[in-house]
Amino acid sequence: MLIAILMAPTKTLERVVSHLPATTPELADELDYKSYSGVYDAVSRLREHGYVIDQNEDNEYFLHSKPGGKVAADGGSVKTRVSSGTKQSITNSAKSHLIELERELTDRANELSLPANSGLNRNQEIEPGNESMVFFRSDDHFGQVETNQNGKEIFNSDIAENYVRRYFNRGLSIKHKRQEMGTTFDGAYLILDGDHVTNETIYEGQPHNIDESLDEQVDRAARIYVESISRLAAAFPQVTVITQHGNHGELRMGGQSSGANADDLMFLMVNIAIEQSDIDNVTFIQNEDTNSTAFNLRNHRGYIRHGQDSLEHIGTSSGKDRWKTWFIDAMDSSPDNKPWDIAYRGHYHEVKIEPIAGRPVVMGGALEPSGDYANSLGIAKSRPAGIVHGATDKEPLAWSEFVYFN
């Protein structure tokens, strides 16, 4: 599993192991900790990784055994950490695991010195007359199960993974056809707009409509997007990945950071995996703090929000009022007071394009057919679909094609 690979002990934790046996004060001194709490936390996290660490009569921590059955010289056996979560019952075990994962991934990101990229200070190198291609994914809902009136499963995690792969197959096929017609692409933008996992406790009765626990959903979504970004990196000279969390990924329990979201953990997993690979033409713009992200798209300004605070039809007077407010807020908060030229929104599971202030808002569809949750939002049944489009020097939305899933 990708989680297991990325959850390998950090260099800091490996230093703790290398200094054993040692007392708490000795470890704090060796690791330059200002308080003993850092030692207690490190030992606790090592135990989470499967290390069996005990204390002797001299209050020294010593390694009793390592993960995978490797026993220290003085004997002993390994205690393995077993998840108590089940696929159809709501427990806190998966979320507790993700809280620990959040801490581990943050440590790993710090060790890799991943840049805190602002969407407005990074841009691709472009050649006038060329184009850029945009891939827009939202609302994959890994973990969700939908059945038809006969009880047959028409959507599950396996189908979701297959559809994501088909989406990129189709997008790359469109790219090749346009190249045959004479288009030169400077690069690709991949917009990930949230709800890539479906979670376990978003609506009543959901435990009966999932086929994977939350940590499994995160792992599967991360794996398919590592694969997909790798394909884009091989097909384009440069790739920019812009991420925005949705509402399904919210981790609603104590212990995690403020606003912790499983979408953000998945994005960080993908970022770290790509960083640790030999791929060197991918840039990530990840925003964990707010519900919207502004970024440069070729020589245009892009803007994304998941859309749970939007209305389904943005063309109504109330819908326009909300988007005009966000339009002004984005302009006021930008360093050059420029508004966005194109916006992206998910959440409502329908692909369409509507204008706000003369600028297109691209709304992404979902992989799954409309189910109870979507219907509860008042969303009309629509065909599962996605969208890809091109951006030129003059137009942020020069052409577009829908990608349908049967």
Side-chain angles (χ1 to χ4, degrees):
M1 294 176 68
L2 185 58
I3 285 179
I5 295 172
L6 298 181
M7 281 281 285
T10 63
K11 292 180 180 178
T12 298
L13 297 185
E14 290 172 352
R15 287 179 61 198
V16 173
V17 174
S18 69
H19 284 100
L20 297 180
T23 63
T24 297
E26 289 170 343
L27 286 173
D29 183 62
E30 290 287 351
L31 300 171
D32 295 325
Y33 286 156
K34 295 181 179 180
S35 69
Y36 294 164
S37 61
V39 174
Y40 303 143
D41 181 67
V43 170
S44 174
R45 289 157 64 189
L46 281 168
R47 286 170 174 160
E48 285 287 333
H49 282 295
Y51 289 82
V52 179
I53 298 175
D54 294 323
Q55 280 183 291
N56 57 26
E57 62 276 8
D58 296 322
N59 291 321
E60 290 180 321
Y61 288 107
F62 68 94
L63 182 62
H64 196 276
S65 57
K66 298 180 179 181
K70 297 181 179 180
V71 183
D74 57 348
S77 59
V78 175
K79 297 178 183 177
T80 57
R81 178 164 55 93
V82 180
S83 171
S84 61
T86 61
K87 292 180 180 179
Q88 295 189 350
S89 66
I90 294 302
T91 67
N92 287 336
S93 60
K95 290 187 177 181
S96 297
H97 171 65
L98 290 184
I99 291 169
E100 175 65 20
L101 176 62
E102 179 189 34
R103 189 163 52 180
E104 294 290 338
L105 290 176
T106 300
D107 282 353
R108 183 55 53 86
N110 290 336
E111 288 185 356
L112 293 172
S113 299
L114 296 183
N117 290 329
S118 167
L120 296 181
N121 63 19
R122 298 295 297 268
N123 201 1
Q124 295 186 0
E125 296 180 3
I126 61 175
E127 287 288 334
N130 292 349
E131 293 188 14
S132 300
M133 188 166 178
V134 180
F135 296 76
F136 179 33
R137 292 286 337 119
S138 181
D139 298 279
D140 296 325
H141 288 289
F142 280 97
Q144 184 72 20
V145 173
E146 296 290 349
T147 58
N148 62 17
Q149 61 184 1
N150 299 317
K152 179 182 177 181
E153 284 191 6
I154 56 176
F155 186 80
N156 54 38
S157 292
D158 289 336
I159 293 174
E161 181 173 333
N162 179 46
Y163 280 0
V164 171
R165 194 170 282 116
R166 285 171 57 183
Y167 170 83
F168 285 99
N169 286 345
R170 177 59 180 154
L172 290 173
S173 175
I174 293 170
K175 179 246 187 188
H176 293 317
K177 288 181 179 179
R178 298 193 74 87
Q179 283 180 318
E180 290 175 353
M181 293 187 294
T183 300
T184 299
F185 289 100
D186 288 322
Y189 294 83
L190 171 59
I191 298 171
L192 300 177
D193 196 24
D195 282 5
H196 300 282
V197 300
T198 204
N199 211 327
E200 298 177 353
T201 55
I202 296 300
Y203 61 90
E204 185 178 358
Q206 188 181 15
H208 305 289
N209 298 322
I210 59 174
D211 62 359
E212 292 185 328
S213 62
L214 181 54
D215 53 346
E216 292 172 325
Q217 296 169 27
V218 170
D219 187 81
R220 189 191 285 251
R223 284 190 289 108
I224 189 62
Y225 276 107
V226 169
E227 172 191 312
S228 301
I229 292 170
S230 300
R231 295 180 65 190
L232 293 181
F236 292 89
Q238 51 196 335
V239 178
T240 302
V241 182
I242 307 102
T243 68
Q244 179 66 55
H245 55 248
N247 61 300
H248 264 257
E250 296 172 0
L251 301 181
R252 300 171 179 173
M253 66 182 294
Q256 74 278 3
S257 64
S258 175
N261 190 294
D263 280 330
D264 289 327
L265 297 187
M266 187 273 282
F267 299 149
L268 188 53
M269 286 176 65
V270 174
N271 193 349
I272 291 172
I274 295 297
E275 180 69 21
Q276 293 181 159
S277 73
D278 58 358
I279 298 172
D280 60 2
N281 62 336
V282 176
T283 299
F284 280 80
I285 297 169
Q286 183 172 354
N287 173 21
E288 301 178 4
D289 300 322
T290 64
N291 289 331
S292 64
T293 303
F295 60 97
N296 287 319
L297 172 59
R298 202 167 177 85
N299 53 350
H300 308 288
R301 180 69 47 81
Y303 176 87
I304 58 173
R305 65 187 308 119
H306 180 66
Q308 70 270 26
D309 49 1
S310 174
L311 298 179
E312 180 184 1
H313 300 290
I314 67 174
T316 63
S317 58
S318 296
K320 286 182 178 179
D321 287 343
R322 294 192 190 188
W323 276 91
K324 287 178 180 177
T325 298
W326 296 328
F327 181 85
I328 295 172
D329 288 346
M331 183 170 58
D332 290 342
S333 61
S334 68
D336 51 10
N337 291 321
K338 288 184 178 180
W340 42 263
D341 303 299
I342 184 171
Y344 301 86
R345 189 208 73 180
H347 188 66
Y348 284 99
H349 297 196
E350 185 176 6
V351 176
K352 55 185 177 179
I353 302 170
E354 294 185 17
I356 289 292
R359 293 161 170 82
V361 178
V362 180
M363 288 162 272
L367 300 178
E368 62 172 316
S370 298
D372 293 338
Y373 178 67
N375 293 335
S376 72
L377 298 177
I379 301 172
K381 290 187 176 180
S382 60
R383 187 177 178 186
I387 187 172
V388 297
H389 76 83
T392 62
D393 297 330
K394 293 183 178 181
E395 297 294 337
L397 183 63
W399 56 266
S400 64
E401 291 199 34
F402 288 3
V403 179
Y404 290 105
F405 309 105
N406 295 323

